[in-house]
Amino acid sequence: MSDFMLPDIGEGIVECEVVEWRVAEGDIIEEDQPIVEVMTDKALVEITAPEAGRITRLYVDKGSIAKVHAPLYAYVGENDSGESDSGENGADENKAGENEQNGEDSRQAQLGDSDREPKRSDVGSSESSTPQPAPRDPANTIEASAEQSATASAGKGPYGRVPASPAVRRLIREHELRLDSIPGSGKQGRVLKEDVLDYLEQGPSDNRQGQTTPDKNRADEEFRVEPLRGIRAVMAKRMVESATTIPHFQFGEEIDVTELLALRERLKPQAEARETRLTLMPLFMKALALAVAEHPIINARLNPVADEIHYYTACNIGMAVDSKAGLLVPNVKHVERLSVLEIAREVARLTAAARDGRVDQADLKGGTISISNIGALGGTYAAPIINAPEAAIVAIGKTQWLPRFDAEGNVVKRAIMTVTWAGDHRLIDGGAIARFCNSWKGYLEAPESMLLYLG
């Protein structure tokens, strides 16, 4: 039998959340078969089987945290030595499982007088009829007992997880309970079947000792508790870092996108003929890359010690995507080199991947400037937080049809979109971001001017 260790996923990731097991203990697996999905701080990663064999144990529960280089699951390989042995090992494991289950069944059968771990006095009374293990050093026994008691009181087994048999775990899943919310009465805090049944019968407000305090009960009544993990945890951490380490400069503007909307309508059929959906985002990006070429300081960053300005040679524009797992910002690489049609295809690909939580690491790295299209959800204004270490981000509000004066003083109907920039004030002052925004605005209000710069 071999343990499969959670591999190094890269970028300094040391742990991840088990989102979904695709197999169960006892399942026969093929080489490269998907085994488990884990959520890192950036994306959902699927881990496949290194070889064919049979799963013997899943070490980490769904929803729990797995550590890099720690055992994730155990399996018997198809080519393991002594594989008839596999049967042998399987028999041993089955026997162990049976013993475990029998132990529980036995406890259930004896419920009433043995609904607990055997006490030393009980053992002593049966010395005459039951073979006893070799006597231990009393001091060591006391230490071991104290240690075991401490572990049990913490409700954690030897691997830092709440011990329970597969049958008990299945029962808990069937009733949509949390394993760590059920006080275990078994060895090392093991949760037994009767613990689950008691919990179901009496509810979480049961006054079982030390496991559920009155304060905890009140908290359960007032809140639904959900661990902050995965992408949301990373977002929380990075937003705090960005907001507290980068002095943000905010700048707002209105952009008349009437002509841009008309252009998009004219181009849509041609894009659809090439099986591409044309939204406004590719046009925003293309205009942004052109404006960046005129104002490279917007597409730069400070080095970590803030004594050098690093200018990016590529314009990799990130787009914030509201995915099921949390906020993701994949970026379109080298927008300055791509046609609008090519950008549209990249936007569609990255949006679909982000919403499924399956963005490649490469698509999340290397962004140089970001766009947050909050208007797609209906917001008019927003104050974005910079996606460090970039120097600027723009939040695009929804487009509204509003009355405006034309050159002759007549009131006309125009499509007005609000934008709000946030810039790193260590790099960008008000004049720099205003001039840059004017360039970008010029391309969006007269979109045909972008034709002059097509490569």
Side-chain angles (χ1 to χ4, degrees):
M1 187 175 75
S2 304
D3 280 342
F4 179 89
M5 315 298 280
L6 179 62
D8 187 349
I9 302 174
E11 298 202 31
I13 294 171
V14 297
E15 63 181 24
C16 54
E17 179 184 348
V18 173
V19 176
E20 190 70 49
W21 282 106
R22 300 283 193 86
V23 296
E25 293 178 353
D27 281 1
I28 302 298
I29 56 173
E30 301 295 331
E31 184 177 356
D32 293 330
Q33 176 182 336
I35 299 297
V36 61
E37 289 182 339
V38 298
M39 176 68 74
T40 72
D41 58 359
K42 292 190 174 179
L44 197 65
V45 178
E46 185 178 79
I47 295 176
T48 57
E51 60 177 315
R54 180 173 56 83
I55 298 290
T56 58
R57 184 173 180 183
L58 306 180
Y59 287 117
V60 184
D61 293 332
K62 175 183 176 181
S64 298
I65 299 299
K67 303 286 186 184
V68 169
H69 301 316
L72 189 58
Y73 63 88
Y75 69 101
V76 177
E78 188 177 54
N79 299 319
D80 276 6
S81 60
E83 173 195 35
S84 31
D85 322 279
S86 160
E88 210 175 308
N89 290 337
D92 290 340
E93 286 153 11
N94 290 338
K95 187 175 179 181
E98 287 172 10
N99 288 341
E100 184 178 44
Q101 189 61 49
N102 289 339
E104 287 187 23
D105 294 343
S106 173
R107 285 186 180 90
Q108 272 203 295
Q110 298 172 27
L111 200 58
D113 61 2
S114 62
D115 183 19
R116 59 190 185 276
E117 292 296 304
K119 295 181 179 176
R120 292 191 178 283
S121 57
D122 299 334
V123 173
S125 65
S126 58
E127 273 181 354
S128 59
S129 58
T130 307
Q132 295 301 308
R136 298 179 181 177
D137 181 336
N140 291 342
T141 303
I142 291 171
E143 285 178 9
S145 175
E147 184 179 348
Q148 188 180 73
S149 173
T151 307
S153 65
K156 302 293 183 186
Y159 298 100
R161 55 202 288 263
V162 180
S165 71
V168 171
R169 291 175 188 275
R170 185 166 54 251
L171 180 63
I172 288 172
R173 284 197 299 274
E174 288 171 356
H175 290 279
E176 298 182 344
L177 301 174
R178 288 174 56 89
L179 178 60
D180 56 6
S181 66
I182 301 173
S185 62
K187 184 178 179 181
Q188 294 184 320
R190 173 176 289 272
V191 177
L192 308 177
K193 186 175 181 180
E194 54 266 36
D195 295 329
V196 180
L197 297 177
D198 285 349
Y199 187 92
L200 289 170
E201 182 180 343
Q202 300 177 29
S205 59
D206 178 24
N207 290 328
R208 282 167 288 191
Q209 54 169 32
Q211 297 294 340
T212 309
T213 65
D215 286 342
K216 177 68 166 54
N217 291 338
R218 280 197 292 274
D220 287 344
E221 293 169 359
E222 295 170 4
F223 303 102
R224 183 176 69 85
V225 179
E226 178 180 323
L228 186 62
R229 289 178 179 161
I231 292 171
R232 286 191 173 84
V234 173
M235 180 186 73
K237 180 181 176 184
R238 292 189 176 169
M239 291 301 103
V240 169
E241 288 175 353
S242 180
T244 55
T245 60
I246 299 176
H248 282 55
F249 177 85
Q250 306 285 345
F251 178 88
E253 179 59 293
E254 283 188 351
I255 298 179
D256 184 339
V257 293
T258 308
E259 299 303 326
L260 189 70
L261 290 175
L263 176 64
R264 199 263 307 253
E265 288 303 312
R266 292 197 298 274
L267 296 178
K268 273 173 66 176
Q270 298 178 45
E272 288 170 0
R274 291 166 176 77
E275 299 182 346
T276 303
R277 179 170 176 262
L278 182 61
T279 64
L280 289 177
M281 182 60 80
L283 297 166
F284 292 154
M285 288 188 172
K286 194 63 189 177
L288 195 62
L290 292 172
V292 158
E294 300 170 21
H295 306 276
I297 188 65
I298 305 298
N299 198 50
R301 69 172 186 180
L302 280 175
N303 66 338
V305 294
D307 60 1
E308 293 176 346
I309 301 174
H310 293 182
Y311 291 89
Y312 293 109
T313 56
C315 187
N316 301 337
I317 302 179
M319 53 179 199
V321 179
D322 179 33
S323 75
K324 288 182 289 186
L327 178 65
L328 288 171
V329 191
N331 62 82
V332 178
K333 302 283 194 299
H334 288 288
V335 173
E336 76 282 4
R337 299 179 187 172
L338 303 179
S339 69
V340 171
L341 204 58
E342 290 170 328
I343 298 170
R345 289 173 182 149
E346 276 296 277
V347 168
R349 180 182 70 82
L350 295 174
T351 302
R355 286 182 177 159
D356 287 344
R358 300 177 186 278
V359 185
D360 287 344
Q361 298 286 321
D363 290 325
L364 293 166
K365 294 193 298 185
T368 62
I369 190 170
S370 294
I371 295 177
S372 175
N373 189 7
I374 190 67
L377 300 177
T380 306
Y381 303 96
I385 294 178
I386 294 169
N387 186 22
E390 299 169 11
I393 181 172
V394 62
I396 295 174
K398 69 179 178 182
T399 298
Q400 304 176 86
W401 289 98
L402 297 172
R404 290 292 185 268
F405 291 106
D406 64 11
E408 286 74 38
N410 301 312
V411 176
V412 294
K413 178 183 174 184
R414 306 296 292 179
I416 304 300
M417 179 181 78
T418 57
V419 299
T420 310
W421 283 94
D424 185 341
H425 213 344
R426 297 171 299 175
L427 276 179
I428 302 169
D429 56 28
I433 206 164
R435 286 188 288 273
F436 167 75
C437 188
N438 286 340
S439 294
W440 187 48
K441 177 180 178 178
Y443 290 118
L444 295 179
E445 293 193 340
E448 70 279 2
S449 62
M450 287 191 273
L451 294 172
L452 295 173
Y453 303 95
L454 290 181

